[in-house]
Amino acid sequence: GLFFEFFSCLIDENAPRQQEDLDRDRETTNRYLREAISYIQQHFHEGLRVSDLADHVAVSRGYLYQIFNDTLGMSPKQYLTNFCMTRAMELLTLNKESVEEVARKCGYPNPVAFSALFRKRMGMSPTQYRNEVSASYRERLKRELQSLQ
């Protein structure tokens, strides 16, 4: 009986401290994630690798993977690729730069590799995407302008 009471008192005393430790760990994890995402947003065009992110945030690649996977449900590489492909879609939609230039601006020095990845992700080539999206985008803008008149 006394041993159980003593042990339960120890657990009760440590409970707030354990919660503080969990909160501090969560805060640190969130800071690492924010730093990594910010770095991606600022440097994606440089052809980043996961090791570059881990070095910038000053954590191991494995820990960075765990943070991304636990928080976002994807690896840092998947997040980086998704970010670059989203940026590529924006560039293809909003300007007339060549696919080679779009690839370079998204961190892919090899336009053939970029086009293959884009096709795998989007189900069409960057040029097809540009033509289809641009046409539908122009049509939508035309309808919106007509509705304003």
Side-chain angles (χ1 to χ4, degrees):
L2 288 176
F3 178 74
F4 180 74
E5 275 186 51
F6 174 73
F7 191 70
S8 68
C9 287
L10 283 177
I11 291 174
D12 288 343
E13 286 179 12
N14 288 330
R17 183 172 296 139
Q18 289 172 348
Q19 186 59 45
E20 289 172 11
D21 290 345
L22 287 173
D23 290 344
R24 188 173 34 256
D25 289 347
R26 194 173 300 118
E27 190 176 305
T28 300
T29 298
N30 288 340
R31 182 174 50 83
Y32 290 151
L33 184 63
R34 282 192 310 271
E35 285 182 28
I37 289 172
S38 175
Y39 193 74
I40 288 170
Q41 291 170 342
Q42 295 170 17
H43 299 276
F44 71 95
H45 59 279
E46 297 171 8
L48 288 179
R49 298 175 315 212
V50 174
S51 59
D52 299 325
L53 290 174
D55 291 345
H56 176 75
V57 179
V59 298
S60 71
R61 288 183 64 203
Y63 187 55
L64 188 65
Y65 176 87
Q66 181 183 342
I67 290 169
F68 270 79
N69 199 44
D70 291 350
T71 308
L72 302 176
M74 68 180 73
S75 72
K77 178 68 175 166
Q78 289 169 316
Y79 183 90
L80 176 60
T81 302
N82 289 347
F83 185 88
C84 290
M85 289 294 109
T86 300
R87 184 69 179 128
M89 289 185 296
E90 291 171 0
L91 291 171
L92 289 166
T93 301
L94 300 175
N95 68 43
K96 297 290 184 198
E97 293 173 334
S98 68
V99 171
E100 291 79 12
E101 184 64 18
V102 170
R104 190 188 61 71
K105 285 186 170 185
C106 292
Y108 293 90
N110 182 340
V112 174
F114 166 77
S115 292
L117 179 61
F118 192 94
R119 180 184 299 275
K120 183 178 177 185
R121 289 287 182 109
M122 302 305 299
M124 65 182 79
S125 73
T127 302
Q128 290 170 315
Y129 179 85
R130 171 179 275 153
N131 293 338
E132 288 187 22
V133 170
S134 292
S136 65
Y137 184 70
R138 282 192 305 271
E139 190 61 36
R140 193 177 85 218
L141 280 177
K142 187 187 295 184
R143 283 193 308 271
E144 288 177 15
L145 286 173
Q146 287 174 348
S147 71
L148 293 175
Q149 294 175 350

